Amino acid sequence: MLSAHCEITVNHGWPGWVRNAITRYLHRLGREIQSDMERGAPVRTGRLRAGLYHEVNRGQLRVGVRNVPYWSTVEFGSGPHEIRPVTKRALHWPGARHPVNRVWHPGTPAQPFMRPALYKRRGRL
């Protein structure tokens, strides 16, 4: 008579191991994307670059810019537009001959720094 014996051991901690591995991967990916955004961001005052961040929460990676409201104008540019005073009756700046009640701005070209970092083809992390 032939007899066979089989023993199966189940590691009940595997969901935690998988979750931790995914979290580590997302942190590495986030650091790499943030680093690419920092390299691509134009620097005048450094505020835009200082506002870049990445975070991992509940298995989700989020990258972006904090507390820099003009980031989208830098990323996408702006078309020609009129500038009017908000709190005063006229606009004035150093070097202007006289105050004016409106100015025509020609627009700004886009300087993408987020999209190239996000769409970059990445090898194995």
Side-chain angles (χ1 to χ4, degrees), residues 1-109:
M1 178 189 301
L2 283 171
S3 139
H5 177 72
C6 180
E7 187 174 318
I8 298 175
T9 305
V10 176
N11 180 354
H12 295 288
W14 70 267
W17 181 87
V18 170
R19 186 173 40 255
N20 290 341
I22 290 171
T23 300
R24 285 191 307 272
Y25 173 78
L26 290 175
H27 274 294
R28 279 196 313 270
L29 179 60
R31 281 192 300 271
E32 190 170 316
I33 292 171
Q34 182 179 342
S35 177
D36 288 342
M37 287 189 330
E38 288 170 352
R39 276 194 290 279
V43 178
R44 181 178 287 173
T45 64
R47 184 175 169 202
L48 179 64
R49 190 176 282 178
L52 299 175
Y53 76 96
H54 81 277
E55 66 186 15
V56 176
N57 189 8
R58 295 185 182 160
Q60 293 182 344
L61 171 62
R62 180 175 291 182
V63 292
V65 184
R66 280 197 182 110
N67 302 321
V68 183
Y70 58 85
W71 75 267
S72 60
T73 304
V74 174
E75 178 74 14
F76 301 109
S78 70
H81 57 280
E82 184 178 69
I83 300 174
R84 292 178 174 260
V86 175
T87 58
K88 305 283 185 174
R89 291 189 294 172
L91 299 168
H92 191 269
W93 57 92
R97 287 194 220 149
H98 53 79
V100 293
N101 61 358
R102 65 181 165 183
V103 175
W104 186 254
H105 191 285
T108 55

